[in-house]
Amino acid sequence: VFETMARRVPDKPLLHFQETTLCYGEALRQVEALAGHLQGPCRVRAGDRVLIDLQNSAHFVISLYAVLRADAVAVPVSPANVGEELAHYLADSGARVAIAGVEVADRFAGLALSHLIAAGGPDWDRALAADLAPAPSRSAPDTLCIMPYTSGSTGLPKGCMHTHAGVLHNVVGSVIWKHVSADTVALATAPFFHVTGLVHSFLATVQAGGTMVIQQRWDPALAAALVERHRCTH
């Protein structure tokens, strides 16, 4: 879905984040490059789990699509987690590669990982600059693609296994229910590591070819300012 939109409207803004605007075409280039890095130097293979430990950001959008493009399984987790919690997610999911924000990357110290990519750091920049091409995708509708975790309120958090078909079913339903279209400019405030933000703010907007205005964390004054700014520019 994302690739189709990127080739159809490459110059259209996919997202606005802080002072950055990223268009669909450039986002696709970054996704392909990061997917190639995952398959190449990181040796991620089809079905491997890749942990995504990021705030709402352009980095999250690129990371999620890159993991899927590499035929791997995205495991999004809250960036509020600390070492012991991260150890559980890694052990339970089997992930040996993680993409984390530079502000939380040190929390992975001593944990069982083969590769850690700090989004926005030198490793991230080198991965995009290398521009390695990923192999053709072999994913199918019944292939596992995303494994978010429960909150752990009744025990240890449990991974929820979602296929491409299952995710798309929810995404298309969200588009229809909320009347999302190519003209939509969506203020994305709910966390992308949670299915609400992931499906309704992020994936549904891309499904319709719209534009996201991403807020890293909820701030009511900033939200009002973003609405006013982008109401006047779209």
Side-chain angles (χ1 to χ4, degrees):
V1 171
F2 166 66
E3 183 178 356
T4 297
M5 288 299 175
R7 300 199 186 284
R8 183 181 302 167
V9 289
D11 297 325
K12 181 176 183 178
L14 164 65
L15 62 86
H16 302 288
F17 176 65
Q18 296 177 343
E19 301 305 316
T20 299
T21 296
L22 186 63
C23 293
Y24 274 87
E26 173 58 20
L28 177 60
R29 187 199 71 78
Q30 294 185 24
V31 165
E32 294 274 318
L34 185 56
H37 180 77
L38 290 172
Q39 289 184 335
C42 296
R43 299 185 179 181
V44 170
R45 298 294 177 257
D48 285 355
R49 278 63 162 160
V50 177
L51 205 75
I52 298 177
D53 186 10
L54 294 167
Q55 300 276 8
N56 284 11
S57 59
H59 290 135
F60 191 110
V61 174
I62 298 302
S63 297
L64 182 88
Y65 280 129
V67 172
L68 300 186
R69 178 63 184 83
D71 287 342
V73 180
V75 183
V77 299
S78 169
N81 287 307
V82 294
E84 184 177 337
E85 294 163 316
L86 292 170
H88 166 68
Y89 293 124
L90 291 172
D92 189 71
S93 68
R96 56 182 180 78
V97 175
I99 305 172
V102 291
E103 74 282 3
V104 298
D106 60 350
R107 298 177 189 176
F108 288 87
L111 299 183
L113 279 177
S114 61
H115 292 87
L116 173 64
I117 303 169
D123 289 344
W124 176 277
D125 295 339
R126 283 192 289 268
L128 298 191
D131 208 20
L132 298 176
S137 175
R138 303 196 306 273
S139 291
D142 61 351
T143 302
L144 188 67
C145 68
I146 298 177
M147 193 165 71
Y149 272 75
T150 63
S151 64
S153 56
T154 59
L156 289 174
K158 301 171 182 63
C160 303
M161 304 170 76
H162 297 285
T163 64
H164 286 276
V167 172
L168 279 172
H169 177 86
N170 283 276
V171 170
V172 172
S174 177
V175 169
I176 295 171
W177 176 41
K178 299 193 300 176
H179 307 287
V180 185
S181 73
D183 295 326
T184 294
V185 180
L187 180 62
T189 61
F192 288 167
F193 67 82
H194 189 278
V195 291
T196 302
L198 183 65
V199 171
H200 296 282
S201 296
F202 174 179
L203 296 177
T205 305
V206 177
Q207 172 79 22
T211 299
M212 288 179 281
V213 178
I214 300 175
Q215 194 170 11
Q216 186 173 51
R217 300 189 71 170
W218 173 245
D219 179 319
L222 177 59
L226 288 173
V227 169
E228 180 63 19
R229 180 191 309 173
H230 294 284
R231 181 184 66 82
C232 296
T233 57
H234 284 271

